[in-house]
């Protein structure tokens, strides 16, 4: 009722268009209906109510918006309403995409080819999971009806260029999160010097190469000898036996046979 009131009042249909009659007696219900003040009926719709609850509500709201006495694209709603936008403070967002992974409706999305956070308002149910999960606390919920066409499509909430490894130039990660990590780990005993700290700005492969630059690899990282199996020993024994055999069979006693007269 609250949502219907917000929509009808916000679109100029007037206040108190929706009321609840609670009466067990059918005559009392009839009396209440006759007593209700007459109001101008909205333009009847000819759409079918199909699909889930949310898509049915969306079709009905779009119809009301299309024929509204005072059409507006945005109608603010009370906290806790299941429609709305989210605001992302891009200065604090590191594009970690933790919010994308928890969004139950797919309203939040990413881009496989670049660090990017997208949002489709029509799909958002304002559950707040993204806000709770965000490690940087940069998400705010903004409950509202948005009748604009743009609410149906993804919009970019934050985007950055990929960070490039300072050693090989390969793109990896996002500049803001790498620099944030550098800032947080500065002063840590494992990253005491600038060289170690700079490894955070390298891709995984370069970190390992840089670690062992000019140093012998630690024992655990040396190539290990191949494992010998019973088959290897048997193969060697067979080869040695056939070598001995051919030595014995050589003419003129080159091997272990009878020495030649000459
Ligand atoms: S809004 Fe928060 S959770 Fe989402 S990408 Fe940005 S920092 Fe990560
Ligand atoms: S509030 Fe819920 S539905 Fe909306 S973007 Fe956040 S996680 Fe997704």
């Amino acid at each position: 009722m609250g949502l219907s009131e917000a929509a009808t009042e916000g679109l100029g249909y007037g206040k108190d268009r929706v009321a609840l009659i609670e009466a067990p007696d059918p005559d009392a219900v009839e009396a209440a209906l006759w007593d209700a003040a007459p109001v101008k009926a909205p333009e009847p719709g000819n759409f079918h109510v199909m699909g889930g609850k949310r898509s049915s509500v969306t079709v009905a709201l779009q119809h009301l918006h299309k024929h509204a006495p005072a059409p507006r694209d945005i109608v603010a709603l009370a906290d806790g309403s299941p429609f709305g936008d989210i605001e992302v403070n891009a200065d604090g967002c590191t594009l970690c995409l933790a919010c994308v992974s928890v969004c139950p409706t797919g309203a939040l999305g990413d881009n496989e080819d670049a660090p990017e956070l997208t949002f489709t308002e029509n799909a958002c149910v304002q559950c707040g999971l993204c806000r709770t999960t965000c490690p940087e606390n940069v998400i705010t919920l903004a409950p509202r009806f948005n009748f604009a066409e743009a609410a149906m499509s993804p919009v970019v909430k934050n985007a950055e260029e990929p960070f490039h490894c300072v050693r090989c130039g390969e793109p990896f990660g996002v500049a803001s999160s790498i620099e944030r990590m550098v800032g947080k780990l500065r002063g840590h005993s494992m990253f005491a010097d600038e060289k170690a700290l700079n490894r955070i700005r390298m891709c995984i492969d370069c970190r390992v190469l840089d670690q062992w630059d000019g140093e012998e690899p630690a024992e655990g990282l040396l190539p290990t000898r191949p494992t010998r199996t019973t088959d290897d020993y048997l193969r060697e024994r067979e080869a040695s036996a056939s070598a001995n055999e051919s030595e014995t069979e050589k003419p003129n006693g080159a091997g272990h046979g009878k020495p030649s007269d000459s």
Side-chain angles (χ1 to χ4, degrees):
M1 284 176 64
L3 286 171
S4 303
E5 271 293 309
T8 48
E9 193 183 346
L11 295 174
Y13 289 99
K15 286 184 72 156
D16 302 327
R17 297 287 306 222
V18 185
L20 177 69
I21 301 170
E22 276 187 298
D25 178 2
D27 291 335
V29 175
E30 185 193 0
L33 287 172
W34 283 114
D35 287 348
V39 287
K40 188 174 181 298
E43 184 72 20
N46 60 358
F47 52 86
H48 290 290
V49 178
M50 292 170 71
K53 276 190 293 186
R54 199 169 172 92
S55 51
S56 304
V57 168
T58 303
V59 174
L61 285 171
Q62 280 167 346
H63 173 80
L64 286 174
H65 179 253
K66 188 174 167 194
H67 301 280
R72 284 156 55 188
D73 278 351
I74 304 291
V75 172
L77 294 176
D79 284 352
S81 302
F83 296 86
D85 188 17
I86 62 162
E87 282 156 18
V88 177
N89 178 358
D91 291 341
C93 169
T94 57
L95 283 169
C96 68
L97 303 180
C99 51
V100 176
S101 59
V102 295
C103 177
T105 64
L108 283 167
D110 59 357
N111 179 345
E112 277 182 14
D113 301 321
E116 198 172 276
L117 177 66
T118 62
F119 175 73
T120 308
E121 183 165 345
N122 191 47
C124 177
V125 294
Q126 298 281 291
C127 64
L129 278 174
C130 54
R131 181 181 57 181
T132 316
T133 307
C134 176
E136 309 298 338
N137 293 321
V138 292
I139 297 182
T140 313
L141 303 185
R144 65 183 193 175
F145 284 131
N146 184 351
F147 297 100
E149 199 63 26
M152 304 285 180
S153 317
V155 292
V156 175
K157 287 288 183 185
N158 192 16
E160 270 189 47
E161 288 299 313
F163 187 80
H164 292 265
C165 169
V166 291
R167 187 180 157 123
C168 71
E170 275 293 303
F172 84 102
V174 185
S176 56
S177 35
I178 304 275
E179 288 309 329
R180 190 166 298 239
M181 227 187 300
V182 170
K184 280 187 178 166
L185 292 174
R186 193 180 290 280
H188 189 282
S189 56
M190 297 279 287
F191 300 90
D193 60 88
E194 273 305 311
K195 192 167 170 3
L197 206 55
N198 205 35
R199 267 184 219 121
I200 297 169
R201 301 187 179 100
M202 295 178 193
C203 65
I204 302 251
D205 290 347
C206 286
R207 271 178 216 175
V208 177
L209 292 172
D210 191 74
Q211 176 86 35
W212 302 114
D213 242 5
E215 284 182 41
E216 280 299 310
E219 200 173 325
L221 297 175
L222 286 170
T224 51
R225 285 170 48 189
T227 310
R228 286 166 66 80
T229 65
T230 306
D231 284 345
D232 295 319
Y233 286 105
L234 290 176
R235 208 175 301 116
E236 279 169 23
R237 199 164 71 182
E238 216 169 87
S240 146
S242 11
N244 285 342
E245 227 167 77
S246 46
E247 282 288 300
T248 315
E249 284 166 7
K250 272 189 188 164
N252 302 328
H256 301 293
K258 190 181 167 191
S260 126
D261 291 341
S262 57

